[in-house]
Amino acid sequence: MDSPECERSKLILLVEDEALIAMTESFVLKEAGYRVELASSGESAVEFTEGPERPDLILMDIDLGPGMDGTRAAMAILAKRKLPIVFLTSHSSAEMVRLVRGITRYGYVLKNSGTFVLLASIEMAFELFAKECALEERNQILQRAEEIAGIGYWYVPPGTQEIRFSPGSRAILGLDEESSSFEDFQRRVLSEASADRTAAFEALTEEAKPYDLTYRIHRADTGEVTTIKSSGRICGETAIGVLQDLSGIELLLGKLRKSEERQAVTLRSIGDGVIATDRDGRVTELNRMAEALTGWRTEEALGRPVAEVFSIVNASTRRTVENPIRKVIETGYIVGLANHTVLISKYGTERHISDSAAPILDDRGAMLGVVLVFRDITKEYLAQEQLRHDAVLFKSLFTDSHTPMLLIDPASGSIVDANLASESFYGWTVDEIRKMNIAQINTLGRDEVAVEMRKAMEEGRAEFRFVHRLADGGERRVNVVSGPLRIDGKPLLLSIVRDATEVYSQEMEARALRERSEVLMSDMRHRIKNNVQMLASLVNLQKSESGQDRDSGALAELSRRIASMALVYEHLYTKDGRESIDSREYLSSLLRSMESGFFPKGVGLFTVLEDMVLSGRFAISLGLIVGEFVTNACKHAFPSGRPGTISVSFARKGASRLELRVVDDGAGMDRSAACGSGATNEGLGLGIARSLVSQEGGKLVVESDGSGTSILCSFEVDGRECFR
């Protein structure tokens, strides 16, 4: 508590509307050592407390005349800051006491009660205010402690059934009110613990029997379920207790359990064997893979020396290998197994393994034990041994082979090795070849050689024809088969070289023979084409001598048919010896020839021809069919100089059908002639066309009326050799 001298240096705001009274009281206070400021109204008092100089205490007259009275001024000031206010009044009625107590706990002083009473009241107000501040500070510290610890306290005042809660308890329970009846509180306790909670509370209040319970309760604000631990004791006549929020602890425990479960699942599922020991080398844990590899179940192995469970020997000498866990315990360092280590299981099964052991350390670096991780490498070990065996075998075959072989570095082209057969083939010694680059032997440029080596490496195996240089300055044609292989981890290219001089000579002879055959075939084709042309010329001469008689017409038809066949031969044997014809080019040539030689005056030609490649045989039939239909239209569809048009289309329909359509807009065909094969008045040309269509597996449909004739030929070509 501050000394009176210290207190009397404090500032007191005296609020009094009577000037003489204010002067008298101010004098008394100053004589007592206080600093004094005067205010004559409630408004000026409020304004002063909001200024830069703050009073330590206010002496407030209740009746301040017009305007804000003392009680309202006090409430306005206390709403903004905390400080002691002592009222001055001339009234001592019960109503006055009630009014003052509702505003401040520092009481009031009757005017004219004397200097001693006034100063004593001021000193008691300062003491009470200091204690209130200290109590508030302690309450704040307690509340902060509750927040940090996640706890709160409660108590039941004597003679009541009302539970009062600290701020920490209210935060845990989600309460707004400072108190709750026992019944209201009990209703929020989950039914699973309600009876225990009731019995424990009754035993506390009636028998002073302390309790410690953990139960779940619905929060008052959200209704969520939270777990709390509650302890109750009797202190004098008051029941008091502590609440602790366990939800955060439960959450952490849940996370810890999940973490432990994940670690256990990971340990069980890991593909390597794991053995953990204490610092004495005794087994504390095995995962499933370790059980499978050692043959020991966890419950059998626990507490046993690790050397008994993890028995290892050298694969070559069969001597026992020092256990890596023992070495870690002795040195404190991570230790790995030597090569060629074999694990012998409980049942005598042997496996090649690789492993490493490491110390398990606590936060201070002290060793708690050792963890050993190992895996079965039997397959890899056997594969490595097979590679070593294959390397020895390859070396033997490479050295003893009578076929020249070269080992080449594909990155640089340097020759890494050569066998003795290469020495006799090229004329250089093996040592000389080993110092050479393959580009010095191959007549291709260095960049071209690099491209070919890349091809051999990427494709896995490639065959080449090269010309190789010899030591005597000569050259030799060779066939080279190259493929990648790996020796001691290094990628190399193995090239097997065979002399191709004789094979090359045989190929040259075969090529010359083919060329002579092609010359003879070309000559034969030329003779056939000339003979057809000669036959056409003879028919034309005979037609000229026959004049205008019936034989002359027949000869003209024969001449046209021969010309159609000659056109096929023209296309077949002037196209680099191909035995196929481009349909559009062939039919266009045929129809242009007919248009210039056979079409009546005033008759035009319209074509729609799809481009496709036809076999020579089908092309001859197709040309004759088109010729017969177009000739027939020219002869009969346009009598007496009637003008018109002949349309020819040839196209593919779908994947397996060809359609030829010949349409004219002339006088039309006799109905009986259009009905099909067997008509008595069907002409020779239409009969020839029907036979050719049937020969090629097609169908013929003829439609005719007074406005023209439409002829449709369809050919099913699926699986037939209409195309080349």
Side-chain angles (χ1 to χ4, degrees), residues 378-394 486:
T378 303
K379 290 183 179 179
E380 295 92 325
Y381 180 85
L382 294 178
Q384 192 66 30
E385 288 299 304
Q386 185 63 45
L387 286 175
R388 292 194 190 96
H389 176 268
D390 292 346
V392 172
L393 180 61
F394 168 77
R486 188 175 291 270

Side-chain angles (χ1 to χ4, degrees), residues 278-488:
D278 59 20
R279 57 188 177 185
D280 295 324
R282 294 186 177 276
V283 176
T284 58
E285 191 168 3
L286 283 82
N287 72 343
R288 289 178 181 174
M289 184 56 68
E291 290 180 335
L293 295 177
T294 63
W296 289 83
R297 297 197 307 273
T298 300
E299 55 269 23
E300 296 175 329
L302 291 179
R304 293 180 180 270
V306 69
E308 185 179 342
V309 176
F310 189 71
S311 175
I312 50 178
V313 298
N314 183 277
S316 303
T317 66
R318 306 302 297 176
R319 293 179 180 175
T320 300
V321 175
E322 182 182 6
N323 198 290
I325 288 181
R326 179 57 55 190
K327 191 177 294 186
V328 171
I329 293 173
E330 293 173 356
T331 65
Y333 297 118
I334 297 174
V335 175
L337 272 180
N339 294 330
H340 312 294
T341 301
V342 172
L343 171 66
I344 303 175
S345 76
K346 180 181 178 182
Y347 304 106
T349 305
E350 295 189 3
R351 295 180 176 88
H352 291 269
I353 62 167
S354 67
D355 81 344
S356 64
I360 302 173
L361 306 177
D362 63 13
D363 294 340
R364 296 169 296 176
M367 184 183 297
L368 301 176
V370 179
V371 61
L372 172 70
V373 181
F374 59 99
R375 64 187 183 93
D376 183 358
I377 61 166
T378 303
K379 290 183 179 179
E380 295 92 325
Y381 180 85
L382 294 178
Q384 192 66 30
E385 288 299 304
Q386 185 63 45
L387 286 175
R388 292 194 190 96
H389 176 268
D390 292 346
V392 172
L393 180 61
F394 168 77
K395 196 69 175 177
S396 175
L397 293 174
F398 180 81
T399 303
D400 299 337
S401 176
H402 297 292
T403 301
M405 295 185 186
L406 302 174
L407 280 175
I408 304 169
D409 182 354
S412 63
S414 298
I415 299 174
V416 177
D417 201 359
N419 63 357
L420 289 174
S422 301
E423 185 175 284
S424 59
F425 183 81
Y426 289 107
W428 290 291
T429 66
V430 170
D431 288 339
E432 289 174 330
I433 295 175
R434 287 172 181 163
K435 297 176 183 178
M436 299 175 68
N437 191 290
I438 189 61
Q440 295 173 261
I441 294 177
N442 200 315
T443 57
L444 293 178
R446 187 177 291 268
D447 292 341
E448 294 175 287
V449 172
V451 170
E452 301 300 337
M453 286 194 295
R454 239 183 348 261
K455 177 182 177 183
M457 292 296 290
E458 292 171 357
E459 296 182 1
R461 182 179 183 276
E463 297 185 15
F464 305 97
R465 287 191 174 183
F466 294 134
V467 176
H468 278 188
R469 299 184 182 93
L470 306 177
D472 60 7
E475 295 180 349
R476 187 173 292 178
R477 296 182 181 275
V478 294
N479 287 339
V480 179
V481 177
S482 293
L485 78 164
R486 188 175 291 270
I487 297 179
D488 297 331

Side-chain angles (χ1 to χ4, degrees), residues 592-614:
R592 283 197 303 271
S593 173
M594 295 185 67
E595 184 181 20
S596 61
F598 295 100
F599 272 45
K601 186 176 181 181
V603 176
L605 175 66
F606 178 76
T607 61
V608 179
L609 305 173
E610 186 175 329
D611 194 14
M612 63 187 80
V613 179
L614 306 176

